[in-house]
Amino acid sequence: MTLNVRLYGLVTALAASLLFITGAHAGAPQLKTQAPGFYRVMLGDVEVTVLSDGTFPMDASKILTNITPKQLDTDLGRSFLKEPVEMSVNAFLINTASKLVLIDTGCGSLMGPSVGKLLSNLKASGYRPDQIDEIYITHMHGDHVGGLSADGKPAFPNAIVRAAQQEADFWLSKAHMDAAPKDAKDSYQSAMNMLNPYVSAGKFKPFSGDIELVPGIRAVPSPGHTAGHTLYVVESKGQKLVLWGDLMHVAAAQFADPSVTIHFDTDSAMAAMQRKKVFADAAEHGNWVGGAHLSFPGIGHLRAAGTGYSYTPANYSALQ
Ligand SMILES: [Zn+2]
């Protein structure tokens, strides 16, 4: 027997005993849970914490408009996605050092158990609901205002809530609700249920136009998706983050072609125009962008690419 053959025999025996040993133990159970849904970055002196409210499955082909089924298939395939698309719901917690501001509040209990996780992720991120000074609402759809109240009481007991006057006029009007088609009435009722606890406590303060709400955070009107849809611009030490709300929904289709619209738009043509303007501005200036429905943590940069844009998600930061 040569040395090589003896060595081969030894290795084979060792491998067999190793297989026996590992096979003899049951594998550890799979946990199938995700890391807590918060992600933090510094923007100059301002601390930004993205909070995940969860995700929900969405059939892009049923809700996108101004796109052919073939093009949508191509877009989803290019992003390694299939229907239904798993859509993130993100909110943004901004600590300017003098104010703690939450931008949007997720779905609360309005849209099922895969979302409504904002409060648990807020706590996981190290903050409590009673610490929040102000809440800014991009628009009053249920996946943005659903976390404001629970059981008719404010979920954020010390917060002032702010949103565009046009948005309040549209969604908090009983006359509008009464005149709306039957299947649209729920959206009005949900907005009222969420906002009214703050309205009756004198803690809802609507604003108009382009306005600085606290030093470092500005509201910029962006009507189209809804009548009073608003972007919030956070700035510190020359750095800028533009929070988009629902400026876009399906990254795989709308970065390549910003003219792709969505069924929920109040005014699709105006929404597309706003998207084109804001995308072009982000690509030109290289500022940070943050989307309510961009894949969590939903912050990154845009670059012009062909007739559309390419999106680069944030590089991971350990914040050390
Ligand atoms: Zn939304």
Side-chain angles (χ1 to χ4, degrees):
M1 192 182 274
T2 66
L3 183 63
N4 272 351
V5 171
R6 269 187 315 210
L7 269 178
Y8 176 76
L10 188 64
V11 169
T12 310
L14 272 174
S17 57
L18 202 62
L19 271 177
F20 176 76
I21 290 164
T22 53
H25 293 275
Q30 294 178 335
L31 299 178
K32 297 188 177 174
T33 53
Q34 191 49 276
F38 73 91
Y39 181 72
R40 191 162 280 147
V41 292
M42 292 301 295
L43 184 86
D45 288 335
V46 169
E47 182 196 79
V48 177
T49 306
V50 189
L51 298 170
S52 172
D53 190 54
T55 65
F56 55 77
M58 195 157 83
D59 279 317
S61 61
K62 292 197 181 124
I63 55 158
L64 290 180
T65 44
N66 202 24
I67 184 170
T68 64
K70 188 162 175 283
Q71 184 61 49
L72 180 58
D73 274 354
T74 304
D75 288 346
L76 293 180
R78 193 180 49 223
S79 292
F80 303 95
L81 292 173
K82 279 197 266 235
E83 296 274 45
V85 175
E86 186 172 359
M87 176 162 288
S88 290
V89 179
N90 307 318
F92 296 85
L93 184 67
I94 314 295
N95 190 340
T96 69
S98 59
K99 290 279 183 199
L100 188 59
V101 178
L102 178 63
I103 296 177
D104 284 343
T105 67
C107 307
S109 59
L110 294 179
M111 299 174 91
S114 70
V115 281
K117 301 177 190 306
L118 181 113
L119 282 183
S120 61
N121 285 325
L122 173 74
K123 287 170 193 163
S125 83
Y127 287 103
R128 300 185 315 269
D130 63 3
Q131 289 179 294
I132 291 174
D133 299 302
E134 309 211 352
I135 299 172
Y136 303 158
I137 297 298
T138 59
H139 64 298
M140 293 189 186
H141 282 162
D143 53 323
H144 299 258
V145 296
L148 268 176
S149 298
D151 302 324
K153 293 200 189 78
F156 304 93
N158 298 316
I160 299 288
V161 176
R162 310 207 65 184
Q165 183 70 57
Q166 297 95 312
E167 194 69 2
D169 290 346
F170 189 93
W171 293 105
L172 305 183
S173 153
K174 186 156 182 324
H176 278 191
M177 182 167 75
D178 290 345
K182 203 161 175 251
D183 61 349
K185 289 188 199 295
D186 277 358
S187 301
Y188 291 84
Q189 190 61 60
S190 296
M192 290 179 203
N193 292 347
M194 292 299 138
L195 270 295
N196 281 346
Y198 295 87
V199 174
S200 54
K203 290 183 163 180
F204 178 58
K205 298 193 171 162
F207 55 79
S208 293
D210 185 326
I211 180 174
E212 185 175 64
L213 298 174
V214 288
I217 308 181
R218 206 172 87 239
V220 177
S222 178
H225 180 58
T226 61
H229 186 268
T230 300
L231 313 179
Y232 293 98
V233 180
V234 185
E235 282 186 273
S236 177
K237 290 198 159 170
Q239 291 197 55
K240 184 160 137 178
L241 165 66
V242 181
L243 296 173
W244 284 350
D246 278 11
L247 187 79
M248 48 84 62
H249 294 79
V250 180
Q254 290 177 297
F255 283 134
D257 182 359
S259 69
V260 174
T261 45
I262 196 161
H263 176 65
F264 314 125
D265 289 333
T266 301
D267 182 336
S268 279
M270 198 187 288
M273 190 268 285
Q274 296 286 0
R275 186 162 43 253
K276 287 175 190 171
K277 189 176 83 174
V278 176
F279 280 8
D281 189 67
E284 185 187 342
H285 295 106
N287 54 264
W288 285 99
V289 301
H293 300 303
L294 272 171
S295 186
F296 179 79
I299 52 172
H301 289 89
L302 276 201
R303 178 180 291 115
T307 54
Y309 297 87
S310 76
Y311 169 68
T312 304
N315 187 48
Y316 177 75
S317 170
L319 277 192
Q320 286 166 347

